[in-house]
Amino acid sequence: MGQAGPRILIVMRRVPTHARVGNTAVLVALAEALRDRGARVDLLVVSARAFGRRPAMRIDLPAGSFDRLHCAQALRLGRWVVATRPGPWIGAIGAIAGRILRSGRGSPGVWPATLPVTAGEIATVEAELARAPCRAVIADYVFLAPLARLAMAHGARGIVYLHDLMSLRHHRFVEQGRSPDVPAMTLDEEVGLVSGLDAAVAIQEEEARQLSAHPAAPPVLVASMPRRAVRVAQAAVDPDRLVFVGSHNPANVDALEWFLGDVWPRLQGRRPKIRLDVVGAIGTAFPDLPRGVERHGAVADLAPYLSRAALAIAPQRIGSGLNVKLLDYLAHGLPVVASPLARAGLKEEAAGCVLEAADGEAFAIRIEALLADDGKRAACRAAAFAYVERHHSPEAVYQGLFRVIGLDCRPVPSDVAGD
């Protein structure tokens, strides 16, 4: 299934520890779609910097996600991968010492994906290109774009998967008074990294428009995240239950902190039986949750939590890219009350199932009205399924990228950015 087809190499500086979380989920979905088109998809983790301050990590990917997965400067032991360079081990010791000195609170450290490309990483990719020819090299995040440009010298298509517009992400963190998790970067600097590539792939349309408007930008495509509708019986829905799903990252911490402080007290005053399920690693950031909020941690299957909730919340105020979990909500037919930022990555058609609220009072009013109206929630459910089926099938999401790689000769619709 794809092993004999054209080879696509994905290069990243993250260890893919969990297929269901964030941008790793995006790349796993992409790999599966490419393999379904007959391609061979190899994943290369370009250096031990991917480990950050965790020198040993467990890879948890579905069987067959990639034809080959290789981590440079590391040793594979079954599902475990262990750094063979001293940097991650020294970092781990420093992190432990920091937690002790700060009574359990360590500093977050540098996000490895944001570091500049090194000569060693270039040599690693050069060796991989020499090992076997590639049809295309897809770099994970803008910071690895030079590795995609390197591939073009070998006759391969050079593509970068942006995930986020980093200049915009930095600005939004500063705007909310939060410490940015990416380095300061102007749009000119960001475009400078991707200029000359065969394509830059944005994960949502607004960021694609901003990037493609720059005169030095390469062709810009939109490829969000594929999802299939998950239709389950509604008999077990709790009309007083909300759900929020998220990994432990600064944008989610800010979102839940704001919701619990500004919205939750309003809801409890109006609907005393209301409950909120907090699912995912985000719960570890909140050791003391208010009454009615239940922490569930990371789970293997979201369906039981999404199927029993009456609606989902997406209160993000900082960040960029696409709120992937919002698509999970819609795929399960859940109405969503979302901030303008969380909703920004969706088409206007999503207004039938994603209700926007700009402040705490508006959030509470939207949620209360939806919980009280079974008919409105049923209409939102139908609209959510229709939206996912129309806009987030693998064919709809990836057709522009398939064309650039040469896996699809069908025309791309005129609304694909960059055409």
Side-chain angles (χ1 to χ4, degrees):
M1 180 179 167
Q3 283 83 351
R7 181 179 182 234
I8 313 298
L9 179 65
I10 297 176
V11 296
M12 64 191 300
R13 198 193 283 131
R14 295 181 291 134
V15 177
T17 54
H18 206 304
R20 291 178 294 275
V21 174
N23 294 334
T24 299
V26 172
L27 291 184
V28 169
L30 170 63
E32 290 174 349
L34 290 169
R35 297 184 83 233
D36 284 345
R37 286 297 174 112
R40 172 188 172 89
V41 183
D42 293 347
L43 177 64
L44 174 64
V45 179
V46 294
S47 75
R49 298 166 101 193
F51 289 87
R53 299 187 299 187
R54 294 173 57 199
M57 296 189 189
R58 187 177 187 274
I59 295 175
D60 183 14
L61 298 176
S65 297
F66 300 95
D67 291 287
R68 179 175 181 262
L69 193 162
H70 176 65
C71 297
Q73 301 176 343
L75 178 66
R76 286 286 300 275
L77 300 171
R79 284 189 171 272
W80 286 87
V81 58
V82 180
T84 56
R85 293 297 177 94
W89 295 95
I90 294 170
I93 293 170
I96 293 169
R99 289 190 187 99
I100 294 171
L101 293 173
R102 298 180 183 88
S103 300
R105 295 178 62 86
S107 62
V110 177
W111 185 13
T114 66
L115 297 170
V117 169
T118 67
E121 290 170 335
I122 290 173
T124 295
V125 174
E126 287 274 17
E128 187 67 19
L129 292 170
R131 188 184 70 82
C134 290
R135 171 74 63 84
V137 171
I138 301 175
D140 178 50
Y141 284 107
V142 66
F143 304 100
L144 294 190
L147 300 179
R149 186 174 293 106
L150 177 70
M152 297 172 70
H154 290 258
R157 292 158 174 85
I159 300 166
V160 61
Y161 221 105
L162 296 174
H163 299 291
D164 298 87
L165 200 58
M166 293 298 176
S167 50
L168 182 61
R169 184 180 183 90
H170 185 277
H171 170 75
R172 285 176 173 163
F173 270 72
V174 172
E175 196 174 48
Q176 292 294 337
R178 296 281 182 170
S179 297
D181 60 352
V182 297
M185 175 179 283
T186 66
L187 182 60
D188 286 343
E189 290 170 331
E190 196 159 7
V191 171
L193 286 172
V194 302
S195 182
L197 294 178
D198 289 303
V201 182
I203 204 166
Q204 52 120 307
E205 292 182 348
E206 178 56 34
E207 293 184 6
R209 281 191 286 270
Q210 291 188 42
L211 187 62
S212 60
H214 194 286
V220 181
L221 307 175
V222 179
S224 56
M225 182 72 175
R227 281 290 182 264
R228 299 289 191 189
V230 181
R231 300 175 185 271
V232 297
Q234 290 290 285
V237 169
D238 180 347
D240 286 300
R241 190 171 294 274
L242 317 180
V243 66
F244 176 80
V245 180
S247 57
H248 187 172
N249 64 49
N252 286 337
V253 171
D254 175 84
L256 190 55
E257 187 177 271
W258 173 79
F259 182 85
L260 294 178
D262 201 347
V263 183
W264 192 245
R266 303 173 196 261
L267 290 171
Q268 286 189 308
R270 300 167 183 177
R271 203 172 180 103
K273 293 183 179 179
I274 196 164
R275 296 289 181 269
L276 171 64
D277 287 326
V278 175
V279 184
I282 179 61
T284 62
F286 296 86
D288 300 309
L289 291 171
R291 179 175 55 85
V293 182
E294 301 173 22
R295 181 192 301 107
H296 299 282
V299 299
D301 184 9
L302 291 175
Y305 303 93
L306 301 187
S307 62
R308 74 179 184 178
L311 62 87
I313 59 167
Q316 281 77 7
R317 306 185 304 160
I318 58 177
S320 55
L322 179 69
N323 188 336
V324 174
K325 287 298 178 283
L326 199 148
L327 297 180
D328 289 322
Y329 303 149
L330 299 184
H332 284 79
L334 269 178
V336 184
V337 178
S339 66
L341 178 64
R343 192 237 177 275
L346 303 178
K347 297 179 182 292
E348 289 301 317
E349 187 182 330
C353 47
V354 180
L355 308 186
E356 191 173 306
D359 57 46
E361 180 63 15
F363 237 91
I365 289 172
R366 287 284 203 188
I367 290 171
E368 185 183 18
L370 266 177
L371 293 179
D373 191 337
D374 293 348
K376 175 63 173 175
R377 292 203 313 276
C380 287
R381 175 177 169 82
F385 285 144
Y387 183 86
V388 168
E389 288 167 348
R390 179 173 181 182
H391 298 294
H392 289 278
S393 69
E395 295 78 15
V397 168
Y398 294 124
Q399 55 187 328
L401 185 56
F402 288 157
R403 189 189 68 176
V404 170
I405 294 173
L407 296 177
D408 193 325
C409 296
R410 290 174 295 180
V412 179
S414 58
D415 63 350
V416 173
D419 284 2

PDB file of all heavy atoms in Angstrom, residues 111-145:
ATOM      1  N   TRP A 111      11.203  25.901  22.593  1.00  0.00           N
ATOM      2  CA  TRP A 111      10.475  24.990  21.720  1.00  0.00           C
ATOM      3  C   TRP A 111      11.432  24.575  20.602  1.00  0.00           C
ATOM      4  O   TRP A 111      11.823  25.399  19.770  1.00  0.00           O
ATOM      5  CB  TRP A 111       9.253  25.692  21.166  1.00  0.00           C
ATOM      6  CG  TRP A 111       8.340  24.834  20.353  1.00  0.00           C
ATOM      7  CD1 TRP A 111       8.342  23.479  20.249  1.00  0.00           C
ATOM      8  CD2 TRP A 111       7.278  25.291  19.517  1.00  0.00           C
ATOM      9  NE1 TRP A 111       7.360  23.048  19.411  1.00  0.00           N
ATOM     10  CE2 TRP A 111       6.686  24.136  18.941  1.00  0.00           C
ATOM     11  CE3 TRP A 111       6.770  26.549  19.194  1.00  0.00           C
ATOM     12  CZ2 TRP A 111       5.604  24.217  18.066  1.00  0.00           C
ATOM     13  CZ3 TRP A 111       5.697  26.626  18.326  1.00  0.00           C
ATOM     14  CH2 TRP A 111       5.127  25.480  17.772  1.00  0.00           C
ATOM     15  N   PRO A 112      11.853  23.307  20.541  1.00  0.00           N
ATOM     16  CA  PRO A 112      12.894  22.910  19.577  1.00  0.00           C
ATOM     17  C   PRO A 112      12.541  23.210  18.126  1.00  0.00           C
ATOM     18  O   PRO A 112      13.429  23.496  17.321  1.00  0.00           O
ATOM     19  CB  PRO A 112      13.023  21.396  19.812  1.00  0.00           C
ATOM     20  CG  PRO A 112      12.580  21.190  21.220  1.00  0.00           C
ATOM     21  CD  PRO A 112      11.487  22.190  21.441  1.00  0.00           C
ATOM     22  N   ALA A 113      11.249  23.159  17.786  1.00  0.00           N
ATOM     23  CA  ALA A 113      10.847  23.375  16.393  1.00  0.00           C
ATOM     24  C   ALA A 113      11.198  24.768  15.891  1.00  0.00           C
ATOM     25  O   ALA A 113      11.290  24.995  14.685  1.00  0.00           O
ATOM     26  CB  ALA A 113       9.344  23.136  16.240  1.00  0.00           C
ATOM     27  N   THR A 114      11.409  25.730  16.816  1.00  0.00           N
ATOM     28  CA  THR A 114      11.623  27.119  16.408  1.00  0.00           C
ATOM     29  C   THR A 114      13.097  27.474  16.207  1.00  0.00           C
ATOM     30  O   THR A 114      13.403  28.601  15.831  1.00  0.00           O
ATOM     31  CB  THR A 114      11.036  28.079  17.463  1.00  0.00           C
ATOM     32  OG1 THR A 114      11.784  27.952  18.686  1.00  0.00           O
ATOM     33  CG2 THR A 114       9.580  27.773  17.730  1.00  0.00           C
ATOM     34  N   LEU A 115      14.009  26.543  16.449  1.00  0.00           N
ATOM     35  CA  LEU A 115      15.445  26.845  16.345  1.00  0.00           C
ATOM     36  C   LEU A 115      15.893  26.860  14.880  1.00  0.00           C
ATOM     37  O   LEU A 115      15.322  26.155  14.036  1.00  0.00           O
ATOM     38  CB  LEU A 115      16.246  25.804  17.120  1.00  0.00           C
ATOM     39  CG  LEU A 115      15.989  25.759  18.633  1.00  0.00           C
ATOM     40  CD1 LEU A 115      16.653  24.541  19.246  1.00  0.00           C
ATOM     41  CD2 LEU A 115      16.484  27.043  19.297  1.00  0.00           C
ATOM     42  N   PRO A 116      16.911  27.647  14.540  1.00  0.00           N
ATOM     43  CA  PRO A 116      17.414  27.676  13.159  1.00  0.00           C
ATOM     44  C   PRO A 116      18.000  26.325  12.755  1.00  0.00           C
ATOM     45  O   PRO A 116      18.459  25.540  13.596  1.00  0.00           O
ATOM     46  CB  PRO A 116      18.503  28.756  13.190  1.00  0.00           C
ATOM     47  CG  PRO A 116      18.242  29.546  14.426  1.00  0.00           C
ATOM     48  CD  PRO A 116      17.620  28.613  15.404  1.00  0.00           C
ATOM     49  N   VAL A 117      18.009  26.080  11.459  1.00  0.00           N
ATOM     50  CA  VAL A 117      18.583  24.846  10.915  1.00  0.00           C
ATOM     51  C   VAL A 117      20.101  24.847  11.117  1.00  0.00           C
ATOM     52  O   VAL A 117      20.764  25.871  10.936  1.00  0.00           O
ATOM     53  CB  VAL A 117      18.233  24.724   9.417  1.00  0.00           C
ATOM     54  CG1 VAL A 117      19.026  23.604   8.752  1.00  0.00           C
ATOM     55  CG2 VAL A 117      16.744  24.478   9.253  1.00  0.00           C
ATOM     56  N   THR A 118      20.649  23.692  11.489  1.00  0.00           N
ATOM     57  CA  THR A 118      22.090  23.567  11.709  1.00  0.00           C
ATOM     58  C   THR A 118      22.759  22.853  10.527  1.00  0.00           C
ATOM     59  O   THR A 118      22.095  22.192   9.719  1.00  0.00           O
ATOM     60  CB  THR A 118      22.378  22.755  12.980  1.00  0.00           C
ATOM     61  OG1 THR A 118      21.955  21.400  12.774  1.00  0.00           O
ATOM     62  CG2 THR A 118      21.659  23.346  14.179  1.00  0.00           C
ATOM     63  N   ALA A 119      24.080  22.963  10.482  1.00  0.00           N
ATOM     64  CA  ALA A 119      24.840  22.264   9.440  1.00  0.00           C
ATOM     65  C   ALA A 119      24.652  20.747   9.567  1.00  0.00           C
ATOM     66  O   ALA A 119      24.587  20.030   8.560  1.00  0.00           O
ATOM     67  CB  ALA A 119      26.315  22.626   9.546  1.00  0.00           C
ATOM     68  N   GLY A 120      24.568  20.259  10.808  1.00  0.00           N
ATOM     69  CA  GLY A 120      24.358  18.832  11.008  1.00  0.00           C
ATOM     70  C   GLY A 120      23.020  18.362  10.460  1.00  0.00           C
ATOM     71  O   GLY A 120      22.919  17.266   9.896  1.00  0.00           O
ATOM     72  N   GLU A 121      21.989  19.165  10.619  1.00  0.00           N
ATOM     73  CA  GLU A 121      20.668  18.799  10.094  1.00  0.00           C
ATOM     74  C   GLU A 121      20.663  18.824   8.568  1.00  0.00           C
ATOM     75  O   GLU A 121      20.030  17.976   7.922  1.00  0.00           O
ATOM     76  CB  GLU A 121      19.617  19.739  10.677  1.00  0.00           C
ATOM     77  CG  GLU A 121      19.383  19.497  12.163  1.00  0.00           C
ATOM     78  CD  GLU A 121      18.531  20.559  12.834  1.00  0.00           C
ATOM     79  OE1 GLU A 121      18.487  21.704  12.330  1.00  0.00           O
ATOM     80  OE2 GLU A 121      17.920  20.255  13.875  1.00  0.00           O
ATOM     81  N   ILE A 122      21.365  19.784   7.995  1.00  0.00           N
ATOM     82  CA  ILE A 122      21.490  19.819   6.531  1.00  0.00           C
ATOM     83  C   ILE A 122      22.192  18.556   6.038  1.00  0.00           C
ATOM     84  O   ILE A 122      21.757  17.918   5.066  1.00  0.00           O
ATOM     85  CB  ILE A 122      22.263  21.078   6.094  1.00  0.00           C
ATOM     86  CG1 ILE A 122      21.409  22.332   6.346  1.00  0.00           C
ATOM     87  CG2 ILE A 122      22.675  20.989   4.629  1.00  0.00           C
ATOM     88  CD1 ILE A 122      22.133  23.630   6.113  1.00  0.00           C
ATOM     89  N   ALA A 123      23.267  18.154   6.734  1.00  0.00           N
ATOM     90  CA  ALA A 123      23.996  16.941   6.337  1.00  0.00           C
ATOM     91  C   ALA A 123      23.110  15.702   6.466  1.00  0.00           C
ATOM     92  O   ALA A 123      23.183  14.781   5.634  1.00  0.00           O
ATOM     93  CB  ALA A 123      25.257  16.794   7.194  1.00  0.00           C
ATOM     94  N   THR A 124      22.269  15.664   7.489  1.00  0.00           N
ATOM     95  CA  THR A 124      21.361  14.525   7.673  1.00  0.00           C
ATOM     96  C   THR A 124      20.391  14.412   6.510  1.00  0.00           C
ATOM     97  O   THR A 124      20.140  13.316   5.984  1.00  0.00           O
ATOM     98  CB  THR A 124      20.588  14.678   8.995  1.00  0.00           C
ATOM     99  OG1 THR A 124      21.503  14.607  10.084  1.00  0.00           O
ATOM    100  CG2 THR A 124      19.544  13.595   9.159  1.00  0.00           C
ATOM    101  N   VAL A 125      19.822  15.534   6.093  1.00  0.00           N
ATOM    102  CA  VAL A 125      18.872  15.509   4.980  1.00  0.00           C
ATOM    103  C   VAL A 125      19.588  15.198   3.670  1.00  0.00           C
ATOM    104  O   VAL A 125      19.073  14.453   2.827  1.00  0.00           O
ATOM    105  CB  VAL A 125      18.103  16.844   4.901  1.00  0.00           C
ATOM    106  CG1 VAL A 125      17.216  16.879   3.656  1.00  0.00           C
ATOM    107  CG2 VAL A 125      17.258  17.039   6.157  1.00  0.00           C
ATOM    108  N   GLU A 126      20.789  15.755   3.482  1.00  0.00           N
ATOM    109  CA  GLU A 126      21.577  15.441   2.286  1.00  0.00           C
ATOM    110  C   GLU A 126      21.812  13.928   2.182  1.00  0.00           C
ATOM    111  O   GLU A 126      21.665  13.329   1.106  1.00  0.00           O
ATOM    112  CB  GLU A 126      22.929  16.170   2.345  1.00  0.00           C
ATOM    113  CG  GLU A 126      22.865  17.662   2.093  1.00  0.00           C
ATOM    114  CD  GLU A 126      22.919  17.999   0.607  1.00  0.00           C
ATOM    115  OE1 GLU A 126      22.694  17.104  -0.219  1.00  0.00           O
ATOM    116  OE2 GLU A 126      23.179  19.174   0.297  1.00  0.00           O
ATOM    117  N   ALA A 127      22.164  13.310   3.295  1.00  0.00           N
ATOM    118  CA  ALA A 127      22.416  11.870   3.291  1.00  0.00           C
ATOM    119  C   ALA A 127      21.143  11.090   2.967  1.00  0.00           C
ATOM    120  O   ALA A 127      21.178  10.078   2.258  1.00  0.00           O
ATOM    121  CB  ALA A 127      22.966  11.442   4.654  1.00  0.00           C
ATOM    122  N   GLU A 128      20.003  11.560   3.472  1.00  0.00           N
ATOM    123  CA  GLU A 128      18.734  10.883   3.219  1.00  0.00           C
ATOM    124  C   GLU A 128      18.326  11.009   1.754  1.00  0.00           C
ATOM    125  O   GLU A 128      17.818  10.067   1.139  1.00  0.00           O
ATOM    126  CB  GLU A 128      17.648  11.457   4.124  1.00  0.00           C
ATOM    127  CG  GLU A 128      16.324  10.729   4.062  1.00  0.00           C
ATOM    128  CD  GLU A 128      16.379   9.316   4.609  1.00  0.00           C
ATOM    129  OE1 GLU A 128      17.316   8.990   5.363  1.00  0.00           O
ATOM    130  OE2 GLU A 128      15.467   8.530   4.266  1.00  0.00           O
ATOM    131  N   LEU A 129      18.595  12.163   1.154  1.00  0.00           N
ATOM    132  CA  LEU A 129      18.284  12.362  -0.258  1.00  0.00           C
ATOM    133  C   LEU A 129      19.204  11.515  -1.140  1.00  0.00           C
ATOM    134  O   LEU A 129      18.791  11.036  -2.198  1.00  0.00           O
ATOM    135  CB  LEU A 129      18.400  13.847  -0.615  1.00  0.00           C
ATOM    136  CG  LEU A 129      17.346  14.761   0.022  1.00  0.00           C
ATOM    137  CD1 LEU A 129      17.706  16.229  -0.215  1.00  0.00           C
ATOM    138  CD2 LEU A 129      15.965  14.467  -0.547  1.00  0.00           C
ATOM    139  N   ALA A 130      20.437  11.339  -0.702  1.00  0.00           N
ATOM    140  CA  ALA A 130      21.372  10.503  -1.450  1.00  0.00           C
ATOM    141  C   ALA A 130      21.020   9.023  -1.320  1.00  0.00           C
ATOM    142  O   ALA A 130      21.291   8.219  -2.226  1.00  0.00           O
ATOM    143  CB  ALA A 130      22.801  10.749  -0.963  1.00  0.00           C
ATOM    144  N   ARG A 131      20.396   8.661  -0.204  1.00  0.00           N
ATOM    145  CA  ARG A 131      20.055   7.260   0.041  1.00  0.00           C
ATOM    146  C   ARG A 131      18.983   6.754  -0.916  1.00  0.00           C
ATOM    147  O   ARG A 131      19.040   5.616  -1.398  1.00  0.00           O
ATOM    148  CB  ARG A 131      19.563   7.094   1.486  1.00  0.00           C
ATOM    149  CG  ARG A 131      19.354   5.659   1.940  1.00  0.00           C
ATOM    150  CD  ARG A 131      18.777   5.605   3.341  1.00  0.00           C
ATOM    151  NE  ARG A 131      17.400   6.074   3.390  1.00  0.00           N
ATOM    152  CZ  ARG A 131      16.341   5.306   3.078  1.00  0.00           C
ATOM    153  NH1 ARG A 131      16.513   4.052   2.712  1.00  0.00           N
ATOM    154  NH2 ARG A 131      15.128   5.799   3.145  1.00  0.00           N
ATOM    155  N   ALA A 132      17.996   7.621  -1.210  1.00  0.00           N
ATOM    156  CA  ALA A 132      16.903   7.221  -2.100  1.00  0.00           C
ATOM    157  C   ALA A 132      16.274   8.474  -2.686  1.00  0.00           C
ATOM    158  O   ALA A 132      16.099   9.466  -1.967  1.00  0.00           O
ATOM    159  CB  ALA A 132      15.855   6.405  -1.333  1.00  0.00           C
ATOM    160  N   PRO A 133      15.948   8.479  -3.963  1.00  0.00           N
ATOM    161  CA  PRO A 133      15.355   9.665  -4.582  1.00  0.00           C
ATOM    162  C   PRO A 133      13.970   9.966  -4.011  1.00  0.00           C
ATOM    163  O   PRO A 133      13.267   9.075  -3.532  1.00  0.00           O
ATOM    164  CB  PRO A 133      15.268   9.290  -6.066  1.00  0.00           C
ATOM    165  CG  PRO A 133      15.255   7.797  -6.077  1.00  0.00           C
ATOM    166  CD  PRO A 133      16.092   7.370  -4.922  1.00  0.00           C
ATOM    167  N   CYS A 134      13.594  11.250  -4.068  1.00  0.00           N
ATOM    168  CA  CYS A 134      12.302  11.693  -3.546  1.00  0.00           C
ATOM    169  C   CYS A 134      11.521  12.445  -4.617  1.00  0.00           C
ATOM    170  O   CYS A 134      12.100  13.188  -5.418  1.00  0.00           O
ATOM    171  CB  CYS A 134      12.495  12.628  -2.348  1.00  0.00           C
ATOM    172  SG  CYS A 134      13.112  11.822  -0.872  1.00  0.00           S
ATOM    173  N   ARG A 135      10.219  12.296  -4.597  1.00  0.00           N
ATOM    174  CA  ARG A 135       9.362  13.140  -5.424  1.00  0.00           C
ATOM    175  C   ARG A 135       9.195  14.508  -4.770  1.00  0.00           C
ATOM    176  O   ARG A 135       9.144  15.528  -5.454  1.00  0.00           O
ATOM    177  CB  ARG A 135       7.993  12.459  -5.574  1.00  0.00           C
ATOM    178  CG  ARG A 135       6.896  13.331  -6.236  1.00  0.00           C
ATOM    179  CD  ARG A 135       7.087  13.491  -7.720  1.00  0.00           C
ATOM    180  NE  ARG A 135       6.989  12.207  -8.398  1.00  0.00           N
ATOM    181  CZ  ARG A 135       5.827  11.631  -8.768  1.00  0.00           C
ATOM    182  NH1 ARG A 135       4.671  12.211  -8.508  1.00  0.00           N
ATOM    183  NH2 ARG A 135       5.842  10.477  -9.416  1.00  0.00           N
ATOM    184  N   ALA A 136       9.093  14.527  -3.442  1.00  0.00           N
ATOM    185  CA  ALA A 136       8.903  15.792  -2.730  1.00  0.00           C
ATOM    186  C   ALA A 136       9.433  15.664  -1.309  1.00  0.00           C
ATOM    187  O   ALA A 136       9.440  14.579  -0.725  1.00  0.00           O
ATOM    188  CB  ALA A 136       7.423  16.174  -2.698  1.00  0.00           C
ATOM    189  N   VAL A 137       9.883  16.797  -0.763  1.00  0.00           N
ATOM    190  CA  VAL A 137      10.255  16.902   0.636  1.00  0.00           C
ATOM    191  C   VAL A 137       9.337  17.933   1.281  1.00  0.00           C
ATOM    192  O   VAL A 137       9.213  19.064   0.796  1.00  0.00           O
ATOM    193  CB  VAL A 137      11.723  17.305   0.818  1.00  0.00           C
ATOM    194  CG1 VAL A 137      12.025  17.617   2.284  1.00  0.00           C
ATOM    195  CG2 VAL A 137      12.637  16.197   0.326  1.00  0.00           C
ATOM    196  N   ILE A 138       8.687  17.536   2.363  1.00  0.00           N
ATOM    197  CA  ILE A 138       7.761  18.415   3.079  1.00  0.00           C
ATOM    198  C   ILE A 138       8.389  18.733   4.432  1.00  0.00           C
ATOM    199  O   ILE A 138       8.606  17.831   5.252  1.00  0.00           O
ATOM    200  CB  ILE A 138       6.384  17.756   3.261  1.00  0.00           C
ATOM    201  CG1 ILE A 138       5.780  17.416   1.891  1.00  0.00           C
ATOM    202  CG2 ILE A 138       5.451  18.678   4.048  1.00  0.00           C
ATOM    203  CD1 ILE A 138       4.468  16.646   1.963  1.00  0.00           C
ATOM    204  N   ALA A 139       8.692  20.004   4.655  1.00  0.00           N
ATOM    205  CA  ALA A 139       9.291  20.440   5.918  1.00  0.00           C
ATOM    206  C   ALA A 139       8.190  20.826   6.898  1.00  0.00           C
ATOM    207  O   ALA A 139       7.218  21.495   6.538  1.00  0.00           O
ATOM    208  CB  ALA A 139      10.226  21.621   5.680  1.00  0.00           C
ATOM    209  N   ASP A 140       8.352  20.412   8.142  1.00  0.00           N
ATOM    210  CA  ASP A 140       7.403  20.659   9.216  1.00  0.00           C
ATOM    211  C   ASP A 140       7.748  21.980   9.903  1.00  0.00           C
ATOM    212  O   ASP A 140       8.782  22.086  10.565  1.00  0.00           O
ATOM    213  CB  ASP A 140       7.485  19.480  10.195  1.00  0.00           C
ATOM    214  CG  ASP A 140       6.588  19.629  11.403  1.00  0.00           C
ATOM    215  OD1 ASP A 140       5.394  19.921  11.207  1.00  0.00           O
ATOM    216  OD2 ASP A 140       7.074  19.432  12.535  1.00  0.00           O
ATOM    217  N   TYR A 141       6.905  22.976   9.739  1.00  0.00           N
ATOM    218  CA  TYR A 141       7.086  24.331  10.277  1.00  0.00           C
ATOM    219  C   TYR A 141       8.037  25.168   9.410  1.00  0.00           C
ATOM    220  O   TYR A 141       8.950  24.660   8.767  1.00  0.00           O
ATOM    221  CB  TYR A 141       7.601  24.323  11.724  1.00  0.00           C
ATOM    222  CG  TYR A 141       6.536  23.982  12.743  1.00  0.00           C
ATOM    223  CD1 TYR A 141       6.528  22.748  13.379  1.00  0.00           C
ATOM    224  CD2 TYR A 141       5.552  24.905  13.094  1.00  0.00           C
ATOM    225  CE1 TYR A 141       5.564  22.428  14.330  1.00  0.00           C
ATOM    226  CE2 TYR A 141       4.589  24.598  14.032  1.00  0.00           C
ATOM    227  CZ  TYR A 141       4.598  23.359  14.648  1.00  0.00           C
ATOM    228  OH  TYR A 141       3.649  23.050  15.573  1.00  0.00           O
ATOM    229  N   VAL A 142       7.819  26.473   9.471  1.00  0.00           N
ATOM    230  CA  VAL A 142       8.562  27.424   8.648  1.00  0.00           C
ATOM    231  C   VAL A 142      10.060  27.381   8.942  1.00  0.00           C
ATOM    232  O   VAL A 142      10.887  27.625   8.057  1.00  0.00           O
ATOM    233  CB  VAL A 142       8.002  28.854   8.846  1.00  0.00           C
ATOM    234  CG1 VAL A 142       8.247  29.353  10.264  1.00  0.00           C
ATOM    235  CG2 VAL A 142       8.582  29.829   7.835  1.00  0.00           C
ATOM    236  N   PHE A 143      10.441  27.047  10.179  1.00  0.00           N
ATOM    237  CA  PHE A 143      11.847  27.101  10.563  1.00  0.00           C
ATOM    238  C   PHE A 143      12.686  26.042   9.843  1.00  0.00           C
ATOM    239  O   PHE A 143      13.899  26.178   9.736  1.00  0.00           O
ATOM    240  CB  PHE A 143      11.971  26.946  12.080  1.00  0.00           C
ATOM    241  CG  PHE A 143      11.176  27.970  12.838  1.00  0.00           C
ATOM    242  CD1 PHE A 143       9.927  27.643  13.369  1.00  0.00           C
ATOM    243  CD2 PHE A 143      11.637  29.266  12.990  1.00  0.00           C
ATOM    244  CE1 PHE A 143       9.174  28.597  14.054  1.00  0.00           C
ATOM    245  CE2 PHE A 143      10.892  30.225  13.669  1.00  0.00           C
ATOM    246  CZ  PHE A 143       9.649  29.883  14.195  1.00  0.00           C
ATOM    247  N   LEU A 144      12.049  24.986   9.341  1.00  0.00           N
ATOM    248  CA  LEU A 144      12.771  23.959   8.591  1.00  0.00           C
ATOM    249  C   LEU A 144      12.651  24.141   7.084  1.00  0.00           C
ATOM    250  O   LEU A 144      13.086  23.288   6.314  1.00  0.00           O
ATOM    251  CB  LEU A 144      12.274  22.560   8.976  1.00  0.00           C
ATOM    252  CG  LEU A 144      12.535  22.100  10.405  1.00  0.00           C
ATOM    253  CD1 LEU A 144      12.204  20.616  10.548  1.00  0.00           C
ATOM    254  CD2 LEU A 144      13.971  22.347  10.833  1.00  0.00           C
ATOM    255  N   ALA A 145      12.100  25.264   6.654  1.00  0.00           N
ATOM    256  CA  ALA A 145      11.949  25.518   5.217  1.00  0.00           C
ATOM    257  C   ALA A 145      13.267  25.400   4.449  1.00  0.00           C
ATOM    258  O   ALA A 145      13.263  24.927   3.303  1.00  0.00           O
ATOM    259  CB  ALA A 145      11.319  26.890   4.991  1.00  0.00           C
TER     260      ALA A 145
END
